[in-house]
Structures are given as structure tokens and as C-alpha cells.
């Protein structure tokens, strides 16, 4: 699957529940989806649970998928994002995007970030407003285009660019501040 | 001026460390198997179970007949002398088209019971106009449904060929009874 046309054919076959096509899609997306969810929940066990829900839901709904504009990536990541939101809605006591878990290495399932620069960047992302954080994570971690991000978040492309700009400015400011403190 | 692209690339570079965040290989293989298994259960029907357009219409008709009110109506209300009788027969045929196996056998037996009830009805109403239609229906039924096995001494009785099976439609006696006998 190197281009959109090829992906479209594979998705069409997957929509007919052809096993080899579904396997190809799974292989293509599992790491990206898992990484995106991991960054949001910062716990391996929870990330695995939500990733599993995402792919199982994908299989259930792929028959009704219509190829419009942003394509399959946006559709799949919208499922992933909604699953993360649902997970936190069911557990109001849990705190999303908790970098403290990682820093304190609380339990074997916590994802430990040893790279200091990465940890600081993630902390800066965590401190963003929710809509800015959504855009930054989808554009940077999920590797989505502006158009795809707009579809996932159901906002305009102009809004995506604006939110990304503000998010990046805030991250840069936060990182500068952290460097100044050190 | 602040350049988004530059800042985005820098952030990507820093967050590039997350590329090492991958799911456990064993877990990933298990999930893949679950996904494919779930897909197997959702696979659309193929081959003889796939309904073509005509069968879909027949299925809708059958659904109509066997929806709660329809069953009662079709089973008890319409007799061969009714103008709705041909509709009832068409719907029965439609139901037989969309069923198979045990369900089909069950339907045939249910329709057989209906023919019997119709025969009884007609024997009481000898001048009913639908007599010829009912006779035709009984004949068709005997061509399609073998009689149920009879277990008299515990053994399954071998059924006769369907063509030899005499319809149980009540016959009007041709000779009038002798007076005084």
C-alpha cells in the first residue's frame, strides 16, 4: 500500500470483510493508533484496551465506510479519539494525559519517558488547551494532514491551522520557560 | 515572523522519540487474530445464502405474512372460497423460497395442516366456489411434501413415493345412497 489508490482498493476489500485486506490495514495502522492513544493516556494497559476497542469497532463499521475527502485515516483516528473520550467519560476520576504517571514510574504498566527533552515537550503539550492539544497530537503523533485533522475534529481547516499555530507558540513558550528555570 | 513549519518540524523531531512506543508484539498478534475473527462473524452472506432481488421481495412478503397479525390472518381467516386465497398461497410460496432446511420442513408441515383445515372447511361447505383452487393446492402439497414418518412399533415407517399418495381431499360420493338401506 504505497498510494491512496492502492489503499482505497484494500479498504474496499476490507469493507467486504476479506481477511487479507483487513490484516493489511491492521498492520499499517496498529502502531500509529497505539502511539496516538499511548500519548493521550500514558498507560500501556489502558492504551492496549482502547486500541483493541478501536480496531474491533473498525471491523464492525468498515462495511459502512464511504470514501470522502479525507479518507480512511481520518475515519479510523476519529474512532480512536472517540474511544479515548469514552474511556475517560466512563472513568471520571482518571486524569487524561498524565505525564506524572510516567515521571514517577507508577507501576509496571506506566510508560516511562527517559528522554528529558521528550518529557518536557510532552509536558508542554499536556498543558495546552484541549482543542490545541488535539490538533497538535493528530498532526504530530498521528501524522495526519490538516485536512484529515479537520475531519477527525469536525472543524474547518482554517481552524486547524489556527489552533496548531497557537499550540506551537504555547509549546515553544513553555519550553523556553523550562530552559530558563534550569 | 513565527514559522509554524519550522516549529512543527522541531516538535516532530523531539516527539520522534515516541516512535519507539510500539505495542507488545504478542499482544498485537493476538489483537489481529481477534479482529480477523470478529470480521469472520460479520462477513456478508455469499453463495446460496445471498438473496437476490427477487428473493428479497419474497423475504419481505414472508416477513409480512409471519408478522404477528399476518400469521393469524393467513392461518385462520382465508379459506379457498375467499378472493384473498390466491394471495395467501403466493405468500406461502414466497416464504418457502426464502427458507431452507428445518425451517422449510416446518413451514411445509404447517401449510399441510392448513390444507387439511381447508379441506375440512370445504367438506362442510360443498358448494364453496374455491373448491377447485383448494384441490389444486392439496395436489401441489402432496407433490412437494413427503408424509411424516409414522412410528407405530417404534420403527420409522417407510413412506410411499409421493406420486402414489392419494390426496385426502374429501370426495363427494358419486352414487346416491340406496333408499331404505
Amino acid at each position: 500500500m504505497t498510494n491512496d489508490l492502492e489503499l482505497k482498493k484494500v479498504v474496499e476489500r476490507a469493507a467486504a470483510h476479506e481477511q487479507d485486506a483487513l490484516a493489511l490495514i491492521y498492520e499499517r495502522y496498529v502502531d500509529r493508533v497505539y502511539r496516538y492513544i499511548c500519548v493521550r493516556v500514558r498507560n500501556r494497559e489502558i492504551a492496549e484496551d482502547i486500541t483493541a476497542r478501536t480496531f474491533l469497532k473498525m471491523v464492525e463499521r468498515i462495511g459502512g465506510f464511504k470514501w470522502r475527502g479525507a479518507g480512511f485515516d481520518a475515519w479510523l483516528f476519529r474512532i480512536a479519539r472517540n474511544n479515548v473520550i469514552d474511556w475517560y467519560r466512563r472513568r471520571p476520576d482518571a486524569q487524561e494525559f498524565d505525564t506524572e504517571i510516567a515521571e514517577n514510574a507508577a507501576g509496571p504498566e506506566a510508560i516511562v519517558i527517559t528522554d528529558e527533552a521528550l518529557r518536557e515537550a510532552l509536558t508542554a503539550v499536556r498543558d495546552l488547551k484541549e482543542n490545541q492539544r488535539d490538533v497538535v497530537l493528530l498532526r504530530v503523533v498521528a501524522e495526519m494532514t490538516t485536512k484529515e485533522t479537520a475531519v477527525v475534529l469536525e472543524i474547518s481547516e482554517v481552524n486547524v491551522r489556527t489552533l496548531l499555530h497557537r499550540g506551537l507558540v504555547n509549546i515553544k513558550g513553555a519550553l523556553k520557560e523550562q530552559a530558563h528555570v534550569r | 515572523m513565527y514559522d509554524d513549519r519550522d516549529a512543527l518540524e522541531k516538535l516532530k523531531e523531539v516527539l520522534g522519540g515516541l516512535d519507539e512506543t510500539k505495542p507488545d508484539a504478542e499482544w498485537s498478534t493476538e489483537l489481529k487474530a481477534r479482529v480477523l475473527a470478529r470480521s469472520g462473524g460479520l462477513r456478508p452472506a455469499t453463495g446460496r445464502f445471498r438473496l437476490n432481488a427477487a428473493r428479497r421481495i419474497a423475504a419481505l412478503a414472508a416477513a409480512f405474512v409471519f408478522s404477528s397479525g399476518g400469521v393469524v390472518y393467513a392461518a385462520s381467516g382465508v379459506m379457498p372460497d375467499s378472493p384473498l386465497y390466491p394471495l395467501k398461497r403466493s405468500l406461502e410460496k414466497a416464504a418457502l423460497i426464502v427458507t431452507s432446511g428445518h425451517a422449510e420442513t416446518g413451514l411445509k408441515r404447517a401449510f399441510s395442516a392448513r390444507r387439511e383445515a381447508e379441506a375440512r372447511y370445504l367438506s362442510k361447505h360443498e358448494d364453496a366456489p374455491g373448491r377447485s383452487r383448494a384441490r389444486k393446492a392439496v395436489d401441489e402439497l402432496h407433490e412437494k411434501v413427503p408424509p411424516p414418518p409414522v412410528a407405530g412399533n417404534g420403527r420409522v415407517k417407510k413412506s410411499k413415493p409421493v406420486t402414489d399418495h392419494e390426496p385426502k381431499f374429501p370426495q363427494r360420493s358419486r352414487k346416491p345412497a340406496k333408499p331404505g338401506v
Side-chain angles (χ1 to χ4, degrees), chain B residues 41-89:
Chain B
L42 298 169
R43 193 178 295 184
T46 54
R48 73 189 186 95
F49 293 107
R50 177 172 256 170
L51 299 181
N52 59 25
R55 285 193 162 203
R56 275 185 209 143
I57 293 165
L60 283 173
F64 170 74
V65 168
F66 294 104
S67 63
S68 56
V71 172
V72 176
Y73 183 71
S76 61
V78 180
M79 284 295 159
D81 55 348
S82 162
L84 287 175
Y85 188 72
L87 175 66
K88 174 183 169 179
R89 294 281 300 136

Tab-separated table of all heavy atoms in Angstrom, chain B residues 41-89:
chain	number	residue	atom	x	y	z
B	41	GLY	N	-17.164	-13.267	11.626
B	41	GLY	CA	-18.553	-13.340	12.081
B	41	GLY	C	-19.448	-12.326	11.400
B	41	GLY	O	-20.657	-12.488	11.368
B	42	LEU	N	-18.833	-11.271	10.859
B	42	LEU	CA	-19.640	-10.205	10.241
B	42	LEU	C	-19.654	-10.296	8.731
B	42	LEU	O	-20.241	-9.464	8.069
B	42	LEU	CB	-19.051	-8.834	10.623
B	42	LEU	CG	-19.046	-8.495	12.103
B	42	LEU	CD1	-18.202	-7.267	12.352
B	42	LEU	CD2	-20.456	-8.240	12.589
B	43	ARG	N	-18.981	-11.305	8.186
B	43	ARG	CA	-18.847	-11.396	6.734
B	43	ARG	C	-20.212	-11.486	6.068
B	43	ARG	O	-21.069	-12.238	6.525
B	43	ARG	CB	-18.026	-12.641	6.390
B	43	ARG	CG	-17.574	-12.650	4.939
B	43	ARG	CD	-16.755	-13.852	4.667
B	43	ARG	NE	-15.510	-13.836	5.434
B	43	ARG	CZ	-14.567	-14.754	5.311
B	43	ARG	NH1	-14.721	-15.753	4.495
B	43	ARG	NH2	-13.485	-14.682	6.042
B	44	PRO	N	-20.404	-10.710	4.991
B	44	PRO	CA	-21.710	-10.774	4.338
B	44	PRO	C	-21.971	-12.149	3.733
B	44	PRO	O	-21.031	-12.841	3.343
B	44	PRO	CB	-21.609	-9.710	3.233
B	44	PRO	CG	-20.196	-9.349	3.109
B	44	PRO	CD	-19.496	-9.765	4.354
B	45	ALA	N	-23.240	-12.532	3.669
B	45	ALA	CA	-23.604	-13.852	3.158
B	45	ALA	C	-23.190	-13.986	1.698
B	45	ALA	O	-23.279	-13.061	0.924
B	45	ALA	CB	-25.093	-14.035	3.282
B	46	THR	N	-22.712	-15.183	1.351
B	46	THR	CA	-22.334	-15.422	-0.046
B	46	THR	C	-23.017	-16.699	-0.517
B	46	THR	O	-23.631	-17.410	0.269
B	46	THR	CB	-20.818	-15.616	-0.173
B	46	THR	OG1	-20.429	-16.641	0.735
B	46	THR	CG2	-20.075	-14.338	0.146
B	47	GLY	N	-22.869	-17.017	-1.793
B	47	GLY	CA	-23.370	-18.264	-2.341
B	47	GLY	C	-24.865	-18.388	-2.211
B	47	GLY	O	-25.593	-17.437	-2.458
B	48	ARG	N	-25.317	-19.570	-1.778
B	48	ARG	CA	-26.755	-19.813	-1.804
B	48	ARG	C	-27.502	-19.028	-0.735
B	48	ARG	O	-28.714	-18.902	-0.780
B	48	ARG	CB	-27.049	-21.303	-1.678
B	48	ARG	CG	-26.825	-21.893	-0.320
B	48	ARG	CD	-26.931	-23.387	-0.393
B	48	ARG	NE	-26.867	-23.986	0.919
B	48	ARG	CZ	-27.922	-24.293	1.628
B	48	ARG	NH1	-29.132	-24.045	1.175
B	48	ARG	NH2	-27.790	-24.849	2.806
B	49	PHE	N	-26.755	-18.480	0.248
B	49	PHE	CA	-27.428	-17.717	1.290
B	49	PHE	C	-27.603	-16.242	0.907
B	49	PHE	O	-28.246	-15.506	1.592
B	49	PHE	CB	-26.665	-17.819	2.605
B	49	PHE	CG	-26.695	-19.208	3.147
B	49	PHE	CD1	-25.576	-20.006	3.109
B	49	PHE	CD2	-27.864	-19.725	3.653
B	49	PHE	CE1	-25.614	-21.296	3.584
B	49	PHE	CE2	-27.910	-21.012	4.133
B	49	PHE	CZ	-26.788	-21.805	4.098
B	50	ARG	N	-26.962	-15.848	-0.186
B	50	ARG	CA	-27.101	-14.447	-0.599
B	50	ARG	C	-28.439	-14.310	-1.331
B	50	ARG	O	-28.745	-15.062	-2.230
B	50	ARG	CB	-25.937	-14.077	-1.507
B	50	ARG	CG	-26.062	-12.665	-2.019
B	50	ARG	CD	-24.815	-12.265	-2.739
B	50	ARG	NE	-24.038	-11.380	-1.901
B	50	ARG	CZ	-22.802	-11.013	-2.172
B	50	ARG	NH1	-22.193	-11.468	-3.212
B	50	ARG	NH2	-22.158	-10.194	-1.369
B	51	LEU	N	-29.219	-13.335	-0.916
B	51	LEU	CA	-30.531	-13.160	-1.522
B	51	LEU	C	-30.441	-12.236	-2.727
B	51	LEU	O	-29.893	-11.160	-2.635
B	51	LEU	CB	-31.500	-12.553	-0.508
B	51	LEU	CG	-31.768	-13.354	0.755
B	51	LEU	CD1	-32.774	-12.610	1.613
B	51	LEU	CD2	-32.310	-14.726	0.412
B	52	ASN	N	-30.969	-12.694	-3.862
B	52	ASN	CA	-31.047	-11.782	-4.988
B	52	ASN	C	-32.293	-10.912	-4.829
B	52	ASN	O	-33.047	-11.043	-3.874
B	52	ASN	CB	-31.046	-12.551	-6.312
B	52	ASN	CG	-32.200	-13.515	-6.386
B	52	ASN	OD1	-33.214	-13.297	-5.726
B	52	ASN	ND2	-32.063	-14.567	-7.154
B	53	ALA	N	-32.495	-10.028	-5.819
B	53	ALA	CA	-33.583	-9.049	-5.676
B	53	ALA	C	-34.939	-9.735	-5.498
B	53	ALA	O	-35.728	-9.342	-4.630
B	53	ALA	CB	-33.597	-8.157	-6.892
B	54	ALA	N	-35.187	-10.783	-6.305
B	54	ALA	CA	-36.493	-11.455	-6.237
B	54	ALA	C	-36.705	-12.070	-4.855
B	54	ALA	O	-37.793	-12.007	-4.286
B	54	ALA	CB	-36.558	-12.538	-7.301
B	55	ARG	N	-35.611	-12.653	-4.344
B	55	ARG	CA	-35.739	-13.293	-3.033
B	55	ARG	C	-35.934	-12.275	-1.923
B	55	ARG	O	-36.576	-12.556	-0.924
B	55	ARG	CB	-34.509	-14.156	-2.758
B	55	ARG	CG	-34.547	-15.433	-3.566
B	55	ARG	CD	-33.528	-16.417	-3.082
B	55	ARG	NE	-33.871	-17.743	-3.581
B	55	ARG	CZ	-33.469	-18.867	-3.015
B	55	ARG	NH1	-32.728	-18.820	-1.946
B	55	ARG	NH2	-33.814	-20.023	-3.518
B	56	ARG	N	-35.315	-11.084	-2.120
B	56	ARG	CA	-35.511	-10.049	-1.114
B	56	ARG	C	-36.985	-9.651	-1.037
B	56	ARG	O	-37.539	-9.474	0.042
B	56	ARG	CB	-34.671	-8.816	-1.454
B	56	ARG	CG	-33.268	-8.956	-0.930
B	56	ARG	CD	-32.490	-7.694	-1.170
B	56	ARG	NE	-31.093	-8.072	-1.322
B	56	ARG	CZ	-30.253	-7.514	-2.155
B	56	ARG	NH1	-30.631	-6.530	-2.912
B	56	ARG	NH2	-29.010	-7.922	-2.225
B	57	ILE	N	-37.599	-9.535	-2.211
B	57	ILE	CA	-39.026	-9.195	-2.245
B	57	ILE	C	-39.832	-10.306	-1.571
B	57	ILE	O	-40.717	-10.053	-0.755
B	57	ILE	CB	-39.493	-8.981	-3.702
B	57	ILE	CG1	-38.809	-7.741	-4.262
B	57	ILE	CG2	-41.006	-8.847	-3.786
B	57	ILE	CD1	-38.891	-7.605	-5.754
B	58	ALA	N	-39.461	-11.541	-1.906
B	58	ALA	CA	-40.158	-12.684	-1.304
B	58	ALA	C	-39.974	-12.677	0.208
B	58	ALA	O	-40.902	-12.974	0.968
B	58	ALA	CB	-39.623	-13.982	-1.894
B	59	ALA	N	-38.741	-12.310	0.637
B	59	ALA	CA	-38.465	-12.280	2.082
B	59	ALA	C	-39.334	-11.244	2.768
B	59	ALA	O	-39.870	-11.483	3.854
B	59	ALA	CB	-36.987	-11.971	2.320
B	60	LEU	N	-39.485	-10.095	2.099
B	60	LEU	CA	-40.332	-9.046	2.675
B	60	LEU	C	-41.774	-9.525	2.775
B	60	LEU	O	-42.454	-9.298	3.782
B	60	LEU	CB	-40.269	-7.789	1.799
B	60	LEU	CG	-39.009	-6.952	1.951
B	60	LEU	CD1	-38.995	-5.848	0.906
B	60	LEU	CD2	-38.942	-6.350	3.349
B	61	ALA	N	-42.208	-10.203	1.720
B	61	ALA	CA	-43.582	-10.714	1.719
B	61	ALA	C	-43.762	-11.729	2.849
B	61	ALA	O	-44.755	-11.691	3.588
B	61	ALA	CB	-43.884	-11.361	0.379
B	62	ALA	N	-42.754	-12.607	2.980
B	62	ALA	CA	-42.833	-13.619	4.037
B	62	ALA	C	-42.830	-12.967	5.414
B	62	ALA	O	-43.586	-13.353	6.309
B	62	ALA	CB	-41.657	-14.585	3.919
B	63	ALA	N	-41.993	-11.933	5.541
B	63	ALA	CA	-41.943	-11.224	6.826
B	63	ALA	C	-43.304	-10.632	7.140
B	63	ALA	O	-43.762	-10.639	8.280
B	63	ALA	CB	-40.888	-10.118	6.766
B	64	PHE	N	-43.966	-10.147	6.097
B	64	PHE	CA	-45.296	-9.575	6.289
B	64	PHE	C	-46.271	-10.649	6.769
B	64	PHE	O	-47.019	-10.459	7.730
B	64	PHE	CB	-45.776	-8.964	4.969
B	64	PHE	CG	-47.229	-8.561	4.989
B	64	PHE	CD1	-47.620	-7.432	5.701
B	64	PHE	CD2	-48.180	-9.301	4.323
B	64	PHE	CE1	-48.949	-7.067	5.725
B	64	PHE	CE2	-49.509	-8.943	4.360
B	64	PHE	CZ	-49.899	-7.819	5.056
B	65	VAL	N	-46.222	-11.808	6.090
B	65	VAL	CA	-47.150	-12.885	6.449
B	65	VAL	C	-46.922	-13.351	7.871
B	65	VAL	O	-47.872	-13.565	8.634
B	65	VAL	CB	-46.967	-14.085	5.491
B	65	VAL	CG1	-47.709	-15.303	6.029
B	65	VAL	CG2	-47.525	-13.744	4.137
B	66	PHE	N	-45.629	-13.493	8.219
B	66	PHE	CA	-45.349	-14.095	9.518
B	66	PHE	C	-45.215	-13.077	10.645
B	66	PHE	O	-44.903	-13.430	11.759
B	66	PHE	CB	-44.106	-14.981	9.422
B	66	PHE	CG	-44.373	-16.148	8.537
B	66	PHE	CD1	-43.875	-16.220	7.253
B	66	PHE	CD2	-45.213	-17.164	8.968
B	66	PHE	CE1	-44.178	-17.282	6.430
B	66	PHE	CE2	-45.506	-18.229	8.152
B	66	PHE	CZ	-44.986	-18.291	6.876
B	67	SER	N	-45.438	-11.816	10.318
B	67	SER	CA	-45.516	-10.848	11.410
B	67	SER	C	-46.812	-11.131	12.159
B	67	SER	O	-47.756	-11.664	11.581
B	67	SER	CB	-45.498	-9.423	10.859
B	67	SER	OG	-46.631	-9.234	10.063
B	68	SER	N	-46.838	-10.767	13.418
B	68	SER	CA	-47.867	-11.268	14.332
B	68	SER	C	-49.278	-11.311	13.753
B	68	SER	O	-49.931	-12.350	13.754
B	68	SER	CB	-47.851	-10.417	15.593
B	68	SER	OG	-48.037	-9.068	15.211
B	69	GLY	N	-49.765	-10.198	13.226
B	69	GLY	CA	-51.134	-10.182	12.720
B	69	GLY	C	-51.287	-11.067	11.501
B	69	GLY	O	-52.312	-11.718	11.319
B	70	GLY	N	-50.273	-11.079	10.658
B	70	GLY	CA	-50.332	-11.821	9.405
B	70	GLY	C	-50.538	-13.296	9.607
B	70	GLY	O	-51.297	-13.942	8.878
B	71	VAL	N	-49.875	-13.841	10.629
B	71	VAL	CA	-49.983	-15.283	10.862
B	71	VAL	C	-51.426	-15.666	11.147
B	71	VAL	O	-51.970	-16.594	10.538
B	71	VAL	CB	-49.084	-15.716	12.041
B	71	VAL	CG1	-49.349	-17.166	12.403
B	71	VAL	CG2	-47.633	-15.506	11.702
B	72	VAL	N	-52.016	-14.914	12.040
B	72	VAL	CA	-53.398	-15.232	12.433
B	72	VAL	C	-54.319	-15.105	11.228
B	72	VAL	O	-55.122	-15.987	10.932
B	72	VAL	CB	-53.868	-14.266	13.555
B	72	VAL	CG1	-55.319	-14.512	13.907
B	72	VAL	CG2	-52.989	-14.435	14.768
B	73	TYR	N	-54.109	-14.025	10.487
B	73	TYR	CA	-54.960	-13.761	9.336
B	73	TYR	C	-54.832	-14.879	8.310
B	73	TYR	O	-55.816	-15.477	7.880
B	73	TYR	CB	-54.543	-12.417	8.728
B	73	TYR	CG	-55.395	-11.987	7.573
B	73	TYR	CD1	-56.700	-11.561	7.774
B	73	TYR	CD2	-54.897	-12.022	6.284
B	73	TYR	CE1	-57.484	-11.168	6.718
B	73	TYR	CE2	-55.665	-11.631	5.210
B	73	TYR	CZ	-56.961	-11.201	5.430
B	73	TYR	OH	-57.730	-10.812	4.382
B	74	ALA	N	-53.556	-15.175	7.961
B	74	ALA	CA	-53.337	-16.155	6.909
B	74	ALA	C	-53.738	-17.551	7.358
B	74	ALA	O	-54.227	-18.353	6.568
B	74	ALA	CB	-51.875	-16.135	6.485
B	75	ALA	N	-53.530	-17.850	8.632
B	75	ALA	CA	-53.767	-19.216	9.104
B	75	ALA	C	-55.247	-19.508	9.296
B	75	ALA	O	-55.704	-20.597	8.987
B	75	ALA	CB	-53.026	-19.440	10.411
B	76	SER	N	-55.983	-18.544	9.780
B	76	SER	CA	-57.345	-18.891	10.148
B	76	SER	C	-58.407	-18.218	9.290
B	76	SER	O	-59.467	-18.757	9.058
B	76	SER	CB	-57.596	-18.537	11.607
B	76	SER	OG	-57.419	-17.155	11.765
B	77	GLY	N	-58.120	-17.047	8.778
B	77	GLY	CA	-59.174	-16.250	8.156
B	77	GLY	C	-59.494	-16.634	6.717
B	77	GLY	O	-60.660	-16.656	6.329
B	78	VAL	N	-58.455	-16.914	5.918
B	78	VAL	CA	-58.677	-17.026	4.480
B	78	VAL	C	-58.877	-18.478	4.067
B	78	VAL	O	-58.003	-19.317	4.250
B	78	VAL	CB	-57.475	-16.413	3.722
B	78	VAL	CG1	-57.694	-16.510	2.228
B	78	VAL	CG2	-57.290	-14.969	4.142
B	79	MET	N	-60.034	-18.757	3.536
B	79	MET	CA	-60.338	-20.110	3.057
B	79	MET	C	-60.414	-20.074	1.524
B	79	MET	O	-60.495	-19.002	0.933
B	79	MET	CB	-61.659	-20.575	3.678
B	79	MET	CG	-61.497	-20.978	5.138
B	79	MET	SD	-60.435	-22.434	5.266
B	79	MET	CE	-59.900	-22.339	6.943
B	80	PRO	N	-60.421	-21.230	0.884
B	80	PRO	CA	-60.352	-21.256	-0.583
B	80	PRO	C	-61.457	-20.492	-1.283
B	80	PRO	O	-61.285	-20.094	-2.445
B	80	PRO	CB	-60.435	-22.748	-0.898
B	80	PRO	CG	-59.888	-23.409	0.293
B	80	PRO	CD	-60.288	-22.577	1.457
B	81	ASP	N	-62.588	-20.267	-0.614
B	81	ASP	CA	-63.648	-19.526	-1.291
B	81	ASP	C	-63.465	-18.015	-1.179
B	81	ASP	O	-64.268	-17.243	-1.693
B	81	ASP	CB	-65.020	-19.935	-0.722
B	81	ASP	CG	-65.087	-19.754	0.787
B	81	ASP	OD1	-64.015	-19.536	1.391
B	81	ASP	OD2	-66.189	-19.837	1.354
B	82	SER	N	-62.381	-17.603	-0.506
B	82	SER	CA	-62.143	-16.165	-0.335
B	82	SER	C	-61.358	-15.618	-1.530
B	82	SER	O	-60.477	-16.295	-2.070
B	82	SER	CB	-61.343	-15.927	0.949
B	82	SER	OG	-60.768	-14.649	0.917
B	83	PRO	N	-61.632	-14.375	-1.946
B	83	PRO	CA	-60.834	-13.783	-3.037
B	83	PRO	C	-59.374	-13.565	-2.627
B	83	PRO	O	-58.507	-13.396	-3.474
B	83	PRO	CB	-61.530	-12.443	-3.299
B	83	PRO	CG	-62.528	-12.235	-2.223
B	83	PRO	CD	-62.753	-13.517	-1.514
B	84	LEU	N	-59.112	-13.591	-1.317
B	84	LEU	CA	-57.728	-13.401	-0.860
B	84	LEU	C	-56.919	-14.705	-0.849
B	84	LEU	O	-55.733	-14.693	-0.550
B	84	LEU	CB	-57.742	-12.801	0.565
B	84	LEU	CG	-58.157	-11.338	0.670
B	84	LEU	CD1	-58.233	-10.924	2.126
B	84	LEU	CD2	-57.194	-10.435	-0.082
B	85	TYR	N	-57.585	-15.800	-1.164
B	85	TYR	CA	-56.897	-17.096	-1.084
B	85	TYR	C	-55.654	-17.160	-1.990
B	85	TYR	O	-54.593	-17.636	-1.550
B	85	TYR	CB	-57.875	-18.229	-1.417
B	85	TYR	CG	-57.290	-19.594	-1.157
B	85	TYR	CD1	-57.101	-20.067	0.139
B	85	TYR	CD2	-56.903	-20.408	-2.218
B	85	TYR	CE1	-56.553	-21.309	0.373
B	85	TYR	CE2	-56.353	-21.658	-1.988
B	85	TYR	CZ	-56.174	-22.108	-0.705
B	85	TYR	OH	-55.630	-23.331	-0.464
B	86	PRO	N	-55.726	-16.661	-3.255
B	86	PRO	CA	-54.517	-16.695	-4.092
B	86	PRO	C	-53.349	-15.918	-3.466
B	86	PRO	O	-52.198	-16.331	-3.575
B	86	PRO	CB	-54.971	-16.028	-5.399
B	86	PRO	CG	-56.445	-16.211	-5.428
B	86	PRO	CD	-56.889	-16.155	-3.997
B	87	LEU	N	-53.679	-14.816	-2.782
B	87	LEU	CA	-52.627	-14.034	-2.129
B	87	LEU	C	-51.963	-14.853	-1.019
B	87	LEU	O	-50.741	-14.892	-0.875
B	87	LEU	CB	-53.228	-12.750	-1.550
B	87	LEU	CG	-52.265	-11.884	-0.733
B	87	LEU	CD1	-51.154	-11.317	-1.604
B	87	LEU	CD2	-52.998	-10.755	-0.029
B	88	LYS	N	-52.820	-15.533	-0.267
B	88	LYS	CA	-52.304	-16.368	0.819
B	88	LYS	C	-51.358	-17.436	0.260
B	88	LYS	O	-50.263	-17.657	0.792
B	88	LYS	CB	-53.486	-17.029	1.536
B	88	LYS	CG	-53.100	-18.036	2.606
B	88	LYS	CD	-54.337	-18.666	3.185
B	88	LYS	CE	-54.019	-19.860	4.068
B	88	LYS	NZ	-55.203	-20.454	4.638
B	89	ARG	N	-51.746	-18.047	-0.853
B	89	ARG	CA	-50.919	-19.098	-1.448
B	89	ARG	C	-49.605	-18.518	-1.971
B	89	ARG	O	-48.550	-19.116	-1.821
B	89	ARG	CB	-51.689	-19.769	-2.605
B	89	ARG	CG	-52.899	-20.531	-2.147
B	89	ARG	CD	-52.535	-21.900	-1.567
B	89	ARG	NE	-51.865	-22.716	-2.558
B	89	ARG	CZ	-50.785	-23.443	-2.324
B	89	ARG	NH1	-50.272	-23.462	-1.110
B	89	ARG	NH2	-50.239	-24.155	-3.266
